[in-house]
Amino acid sequence: DARLYGIAGFARDVLAVADNMHRALEAIGPELRESTDAKVKALIEGVELTERELLKTLEKNGVSKFSPQGEKFDPNVHQAMYEVPTSDLAPGLVAEVIQAGYMIGERVLRPAMVAVSKAVQNTPASANDNS
């Protein structure tokens, strides 16, 4: 336990770096990736490679990333940020992952920040509405 969970504080600090790299890569849209020159493409590929290597290193040390899209909301591993009214998903499912979560061994290192689906409210037509 000490060997596996002893790095939890350090791992939490490193997650901020992983999150920032992921946000930087998401900010570059597909059209920008295609229209840019070779040097910028090489830079983007380098950042992607660095992100993959960072995640591999975390996994090698017992830290795994999870993204619960479409799963049933579980307050033990998910942090609900807001609800999304939708008819596409059953109520209580993860509709959107805002920030991925991480586990260290069998423990939650950081819960996933999620939006949870809720049933769409059908509002009755107004009594004054004659249309």
Side-chain angles (χ1 to χ4, degrees):
D1 275 0
R3 186 184 77 73
L4 180 61
Y5 300 113
I7 65 161
F10 175 73
R12 269 189 213 93
D13 292 342
V14 172
L15 295 184
V17 176
D19 291 339
N20 287 335
M21 291 184 88
H22 185 73
R23 278 191 284 277
L25 289 169
E26 280 188 336
I28 303 167
E31 58 281 341
L32 182 60
R33 287 175 188 252
E34 296 302 318
S35 66
T36 191
D37 66 11
K39 289 180 182 180
V40 175
K41 283 183 183 180
L43 175 66
I44 293 168
E45 289 172 5
V47 173
E48 288 172 336
L49 179 64
T50 304
E51 181 190 34
R52 281 194 304 272
E53 190 65 29
L54 177 60
L55 292 175
K56 266 183 15 184
T57 301
L58 285 169
E59 283 186 26
K60 188 171 88 174
N61 287 280
V63 178
S64 58
K65 182 178 182 177
F66 67 94
S67 185
Q69 182 74 35
E71 295 178 7
K72 183 171 174 30
F73 175 75
D74 180 353
N76 297 309
V77 293
H78 307 142
Q79 180 179 351
M81 301 305 290
Y82 56 90
E83 289 183 308
V84 176
T86 181
S87 57
D88 295 338
L89 293 171
L93 297 180
V94 174
E96 179 183 349
V97 177
I98 299 156
Q99 187 176 57
Y102 287 86
M103 304 285 286
I104 183 166
E106 296 297 315
R107 296 180 191 169
V108 176
L109 182 62
R110 184 182 75 194
M113 291 186 198
V114 300
V116 181
S117 63
K118 74 174 185 176
V120 176
Q121 298 272 340
N122 291 333
T123 56
S126 173
N128 295 333
D129 188 11
N130 293 329
S131 49

